[in-house]
Amino acid sequence: MRGLWFLATIGLVVAEDGLNGWLRYARLPCDVVKQAKVPATIVALNATESSPVYTAGQELQKGIRGILGKALDVTHETSEGPSIVVGTLDTFNGSSATPELEEDGFWLNTKGDTVEIIGQNERGALYGAFEYLSMLAQANFTEVAYATNPSAAIRWVNQWDNMDGTIERGYAGLSIFFKNNATVSNTTRIEQYARLLASIRVNGIVINNVNANPIILSDENMAGLGKIADAMRPWGVKLGISLNFASPQTFGGLASFDPLDETVIAWWNSTTDKLYEHVPDLAGFLVKANSEGQPGPITYNRTLSDGANMFAKAVKPHGGIVMFRAFVYDYQNLNESNWKDDRANAAVDFFRELDDKFDDNVVVQVKYGPIDFQVREPTSPLFAHLKQTASAIELQVAQEYLGQQCHLVYLPPLWKTVLNFDLRVDGEKSVVGTDILSGKRFDKKGLTGYAAVVNVGQNTTWLGSHLAMSNLYAYGRLAWDPTDDEVAILEDWTRLTFGLDDTVRETITRMSMESWPAYENYTGNLGIQTLTDITGPHYGPNPQSMDNNPWGQWTRADADSIGMDRTVSNGTGYAGQYPAEVAALYEDIETTPEELLLWFHHVPYTHVLKSGKTVIQHFYDAHYAGAETAATFPRQWAKLQGLMDQQRFEETAFRLTYQAGHAIVWRDSIAQFYHNVSGIADAQDRVGNHPWRIEAEAMDLDGYKVTGVTPFEVASGLRIAQTVDNSSAASASATLRFPAGTYDVAVAYYDLYEGKASYELLLNGARVGAWVGDNEDKLGFTLTRGIDGHSATRVTFPGVAIAEGDVLRVETKPDGRETAPLDYVAVLPPGVVD
Ligand SMILES: *[C@@H]1O[C@H](CO)[C@@H](O)[C@H](O)[C@H]1NC(C)=O
Ligand SMILES: *[C@@H]1O[C@H](CO)[C@@H](O)[C@H](O)[C@H]1NC(C)=O
Ligand SMILES: *[C@@H]1O[C@H](CO)[C@@H](O)[C@H](O)[C@H]1NC(C)=O
Ligand SMILES: *[C@@H]1O[C@H](CO)[C@@H](O)[C@H](O)[C@H]1NC(C)=O
Ligand SMILES: *[C@@H]1O[C@H](CO)[C@@H](O)[C@H](O)[C@H]1NC(C)=O
Ligand SMILES: *[C@@H]1O[C@H](CO)[C@@H](O)[C@H](O)[C@H]1NC(C)=O
Ligand SMILES: *[C@@H]1O[C@H](CO)[C@@H](O)[C@H](O)[C@H]1NC(C)=O
Ligand SMILES: *[C@@H]1O[C@H](CO)[C@@H](O)[C@H](O)[C@H]1NC(C)=O
Ligand SMILES: *[C@@H]1O[C@H](CO)[C@@H](O)[C@H](O)[C@H]1NC(C)=O
Ligand SMILES: *[C@@H]1O[C@H](CO)[C@@H](O)[C@H](O)[C@H]1NC(C)=O
Ligand SMILES: *[C@@H]1O[C@H](CO)[C@@H](O)[C@H](O)[C@H]1NC(C)=O
Ligand SMILES: *[C@@H]1O[C@H](CO)[C@@H](O)[C@H](O)[C@H]1NC(C)=O
């Protein structure tokens, strides 16, 4: 027992790199361990090593050793005496009260000193083992006896990994699947990922980017896919791949890739047969066609269903399915001068007439909203039109438009706005999660479900951020049961990831639940979308980039008004794509929920909301409120020091501090931009008015020159200072005129990729702090070489004693592309966020 105590104590201080995610199996405290009644042996009713039942036995052994410090034997034959028995319904020989189980479901019975884990299939048995371990890890020793079944058969993840090892929208290092246009040979990380996925009951994964490289079909790569599938099979995770529609021509050397051409069909047939030789249980294909420049059937004037069915027929004899993305639109022909043009209309326009045209093993994969993973979107109306076609929802764990894992944004509250939405198809209850994706509302022959874009990379944290992992965990839980409570999920994840401390759980839960509303507040509200750089990295602020281009993510902001008129009566007609009751709701500005006001209506900035505020004032207030909320995150987190290992504490503290600074960049940029275009003042006079700031351009500069930036609004006061060349040291100083007191001193600057400028902050010649512009090593968002809303950042030094007349000085040295760009210094009294 002494040994146990010792381990439990060091568990807190030993650094943790995040590799085990929520499957850490950390030792419970000794007094808690005593309460656990655990049988002496594990019986896994399958001795084949590739069987998920065998895996379940190994995992139970590993978990119990970690959590309770008890070494249990694993056997594969039933024996006398108390045991944990895990197996499929078939291998249980009806020895248990046979529960009602559907595919992948399981029964968990922990009565007395016997534990029964019965899967409907092998995968279900493994899920049951993970469920039991999750209870133990949370010190939940309640006796239970229940069956649980998935809400939908398809619970997949999509990786957007490129064959060269980069990841589209990846912010956590290079691919764990590919390198140098080939599959990797070391499958250790792949097995570890499959284990995480199995524990959240994800049963399929498409490993390569939807913008697919046909080289995945080479003989060498097919063999590599076989190895990858072998590595994941013991975890019950099936492999799928994305295909490039033009492969028969660009890779196969045929003259065409016309889906109705017999030679093309024969080519896909034989390519598919070959794939199945390497991966006999290949789950199927994912296809992005005729979207954003990708080839597809429309290239040959064929329908999207002609294209999808070609693949469907090829995989049908093997039991495979085709996930066909509904993200089809023609970005080259959208023209903002046409008031009725609307990218949001595209999916329904393309797919509505095809509902009875798809083969029964085609699943149309629909993004949650009609545009593209925005901070808020209405539910895609396409779900209401696919009555005969199977459908799946596409969510995004990768936070492409939601802070790229450098901002904490817990996504389930956003996902729930869609999963809980009642589309009222034909006037009947048609809730997206429980009625449509479950396949209950329309008969979808058991083929419906979920796909989430996930961007795990080689980083030991998987997603670059420890806290971002709650989104992956919650995705699996919600795909299993979309009615699962987002707070309860978060609490389970927190206990599994950080232990049982109440303060840790309460703090992470509170911050996470505030994080999406805060992010929406400081990025884009009232349904205007994430006001980011849509032609660039999709990360920092750049509201003007949304308009005057054919990408169709328009705001239509002009000097007087803003928003997309998507009404039927006078706008793009998008509202009319919904079933009648919902269409009526959105058609009328009075009944449109205000969080989607500017999605559906074009209004003057002076339009008055139900709160009594104008649209423009709401913009200002929400942006200030959101940044205030983000400013609390590092302070809340600081209280957790000592309650977890130092490594995860510090890495997370860094990100939350960065987020608080970048939230102010967002706030100021958006407020300044709309202040500029509308010319309407903030009622509270905050915008452009910063009494505690000293603008770089107003400081005494030596070796610095004053410039503007693009876009103009990402600089406080519209100007910054940059060193005159790329090599000479420079400085900026100012005499302080603030009353004597203790202040937090923040320095706003720009941290570019390719360069590590150094900075030192001095007060009357004494060092307050020093740092280098090395965020590129610490944060994984899409890198930028410019001085813009992505590179804008700030550091804060708390508790600096200052007297009137003191001289504050920043000494810098440029490096590489970084001309030590300085925006301002803020001297902030306690409680002021600016
Ligand atoms: C044991 O596992 C193997 C591999 O998954 C499977 O083929 C076999 O059917 C299983 N045996 C039983 C009795 O379930
Ligand atoms: C079911 O029967 C098989 C074959 O007789 C045996 O190996 C297995 O242990 C039995 N399972 C249980 C749970 O009794
Ligand atoms: C223990 O786990 C069971 C099964 O998941 C759950 O129903 C119950 O609420 C949990 N108890 C506590 C105290 O969390
Ligand atoms: C990978 O393939 C691309 C074409 O898709 C090619 O441009 C690139 O040079 C290849 N890279 C390697 C390392 O072979
Ligand atoms: C495979 O990768 C793992 C971790 O990613 C590493 O620990 C191991 O050494 C690698 N194995 C080989 C043979 O390179
Ligand atoms: C392709 O495969 C499907 C399914 O096996 C078959 O029905 C079809 O005739 C094949 N077509 C060609 C041209 O090979
Ligand atoms: C597709 O149809 C358009 C208009 O009907 C025609 O101009 C074009 O040549 C056709 N393309 C092909 C590849 O058949
Ligand atoms: C967009 O439409 C306007 C008005 O019809 C036209 O003048 C303009 O050339 C169009 N732009 C493009 C890129 O087609
Ligand atoms: C993981 O990412 C963090 C933050 O981006 C970085 O500091 C660390 O070096 C990375 N570690 C690995 C092993 O890639
Ligand atoms: C109707 O649409 C026109 C553009 O065609 C727009 O200028 C006008 O403001 C809209 N009217 C209303 C009442 O929304
Ligand atoms: C978001 O902004 C609104 C409007 O100012 C405010 O009422 C709300 O508290 C803010 N929420 C968060 C989490 O920042
Ligand atoms: C908006 O910004 C532009 C560019 O800096 C400037 O010329 C213009 O005066 C500003 N307008 C207002 C109303 O602030």
Side-chain angles (χ1 to χ4, degrees), residues 410-417 419-420 470-471 473-474 477-478 481-494 508-509 512-513 516:
Y410 180 58
L411 298 167
L414 160 62
W415 296 338
K416 285 248 173 174
T417 63
L419 296 176
N420 290 345
S470 62
N471 288 321
Y473 178 83
R477 291 273 302 256
L478 289 171
D481 177 5
T483 68
D484 210 343
D485 178 66
E486 64 268 36
V487 174
I489 294 172
L490 190 56
E491 290 183 331
D492 285 350
W493 174 81
T494 306
I508 292 178
T509 303
S512 301
M513 290 306 293
W516 171 57

Side-chain angles (χ1 to χ4, degrees), residues 642-661:
L643 300 178
M644 66 178 66
D645 61 288
Q646 197 64 12
Q647 181 173 353
R648 291 185 301 168
F649 172 78
E650 279 172 10
E651 286 171 357
T652 304
F654 174 79
R655 277 180 187 248
L656 294 172
T657 304
Y658 166 81
Q659 176 177 7

Side-chain angles (χ1 to χ4, degrees), residues 298-302:
I298 295 171
T299 316
Y300 292 92
N301 287 347
R302 309 303 188 191

Side-chain angles (χ1 to χ4, degrees), residues 41-45 78 83-87 92 114-118:
T41 53
I42 297 162
V43 182
L45 293 169
T78 46
S83 56
I84 303 171
V85 189
V86 57
F92 261 86
T114 300
V115 177
E116 274 182 343
I117 304 170
I118 308 179

Side-chain angles (χ1 to χ4, degrees), residues 11 57 62 176 185 197 215 221 226 247 295 305 313 380 408 421 436 477 488 530 548 558 570 584 732 749 788 806 827:
K62 176 179 179 170
I176 63 170
S185 53
L197 294 178
I215 205 167
N221 283 334
S247 304
S305 49
K313 288 188 170 59
S380 172
L408 166 65
F421 191 77
I436 293 181
R477 291 273 302 256
T530 310
N548 303 310
D558 61 23
N570 189 53
Y749 66 108
D788 52 27
D806 281 356
V827 180

Side-chain angles (χ1 to χ4, degrees), residues 305-329:
S305 49
D306 289 335
N309 294 343
M310 171 183 67
F311 298 114
K313 288 188 170 59
V315 289
K316 181 84 176 176
H318 304 283
I321 63 173
V322 174
M323 305 290 285
F324 197 80
R325 284 177 102 224
F327 188 55
V328 177
Y329 70 100

